[in-house]
């Protein structure tokens, strides 16, 4: 396979309402950075790419031709509590509060754009 260096073999692609606000949420909560941004016009994201660590998340604005497609995503983070609190401060809704699960310290929230996020501590330590 000849995969470009900035990509991985599998990447989520979310089609959301208010793509620019979605990108800002991702930056505020997860520390995401822009990898690419192509706009159809001043108010419409035709294609965007955000990077969180090594992961790439692609996104665009929903349209009549491309209706909204949200997802449930599982993400390892350095500090579950910090990410969870940032998400709630940015308008996310609680799915489950931070707690120790059989697979690690984890929390869940729904972002204001219809996606569900399950964040898990990258280390075995709490938080």
């Amino acid at each position: 396979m000849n995969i470009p260096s900035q990509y991985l073999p599998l990447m989520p692609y979310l089609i959301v309402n208010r793509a620019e606000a979605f990108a800002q949420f991702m930056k505020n909560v997860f520390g995401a950075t822009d990898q690419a941004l192509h706009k159809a016009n001043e108010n419409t994201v035709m294609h965007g790419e955000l990077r969180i660590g090594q992961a790439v998340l692609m996104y665009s604005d929903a349209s009549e031709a491309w209706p909204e497609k949200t997802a449930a995503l599982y993400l390892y983070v350095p500090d579950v509590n910090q990410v969870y609190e940032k998400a709630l401060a940015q308008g996310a809704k609680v799915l489950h509060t931070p707690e120790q699960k059989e697979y690690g310290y984890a929390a869940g929230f729904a972002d204001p754009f219809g996606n569900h996020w399950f964040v898990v501590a990258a280390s075995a330590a709490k938080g």
Side-chain angles (χ1 to χ4, degrees), residues 3-4 9 16 19 21 24 45 50 87 101 106 113-114 127:
I3 301 168
V16 299
Q24 192 59 54
V45 174
L50 296 166
K101 301 275 195 176
F113 310 93

Side-chain angles (χ1 to χ4, degrees), residues 12-17 22 62 67-73 111-117:
Y13 200 115
L14 304 179
I15 302 172
V16 299
N17 293 315
F22 169 76
E68 181 180 41
K69 297 286 182 208
T70 59
L73 299 130
D111 72 25
F113 310 93
N115 302 293
H116 289 191
W117 294 90

Side-chain angles (χ1 to χ4, degrees), residues 27-101:
K27 292 172 187 177
N28 292 344
V29 174
F30 296 110
T33 57
D34 289 310
Q35 177 166 287
L37 180 61
H38 305 283
K39 296 181 105 180
N41 58 51
E42 186 178 323
N43 299 316
T44 305
V45 174
M46 184 173 63
H47 174 80
E49 297 174 8
L50 296 166
R51 185 169 281 281
I52 303 171
Q54 295 177 322
V56 176
L57 176 68
M58 297 180 175
Y59 68 100
S60 69
D61 265 304
S63 67
E64 188 173 313
W66 296 99
E68 181 180 41
K69 297 286 182 208
T70 59
L73 299 130
Y74 187 96
L75 180 65
Y76 285 101
V77 298
D79 188 326
V80 169
N81 293 333
Q82 182 182 53
V83 168
Y84 178 79
E85 292 302 325
K86 283 182 180 180
L88 296 185
Q90 296 292 313
K93 305 293 182 214
V94 175
L95 294 176
H96 72 81
T97 58
E99 63 183 325
Q100 187 63 43
K101 301 275 195 176

Side-chain angles (χ1 to χ4, degrees), residues 1-21:
M1 283 196 307
N2 186 17
I3 301 168
S5 62
Q6 72 273 26
Y7 296 128
L8 300 170
L10 176 65
M11 294 169 288
Y13 200 115
L14 304 179
I15 302 172
V16 299
N17 293 315
R18 304 181 305 128
E20 286 184 340

